[in-house]
Amino acid sequence: MFHLLDTNGDGRISIEELTDVMKGLGATGDDAQELMQLLDANGDGSLSSNEFDSFQRQVKFKVCSK
């Protein structure tokens, strides 16, 4: 999944890449900004594969624990 979102292949998901995906899903640029702030653990303005994997584990845990 990470590699699908990392459209330029630089090993990071930028705010532009996240915004493009979220707009394709019907969300807004503001939604992408909020999500980036939540997931960008080191505050560098992009998501590493580790940050993205952490997010996926949290979502999986919440879904499986219901």
Side-chain angles (χ1 to χ4, degrees):
M1 180 60 104
F2 178 85
H3 298 290
L4 294 174
L5 299 176
D6 178 20
T7 57
N8 68 2
D10 68 353
R12 309 206 52 85
I13 299 171
S14 68
I15 187 61
E16 293 82 12
E17 290 166 320
L18 186 60
T19 300
D20 288 345
V21 169
M22 291 187 68
K23 282 184 177 180
L25 296 171
T28 67
D30 290 340
D31 293 328
Q33 284 286 70
E34 288 180 34
L35 186 58
M36 180 64 79
Q37 288 175 355
L38 289 171
L39 302 181
D40 183 16
N42 66 2
D44 69 353
S46 63
L47 301 178
S48 67
S49 62
N50 289 338
E51 289 167 325
F52 189 77
D53 289 346
S54 176
F55 164 67
Q56 285 186 303
R57 283 192 300 276
Q58 290 173 14
V59 169
K60 188 175 186 179
F61 176 75
K62 288 181 181 185
V63 170
C64 291
S65 67
K66 286 186 177 185

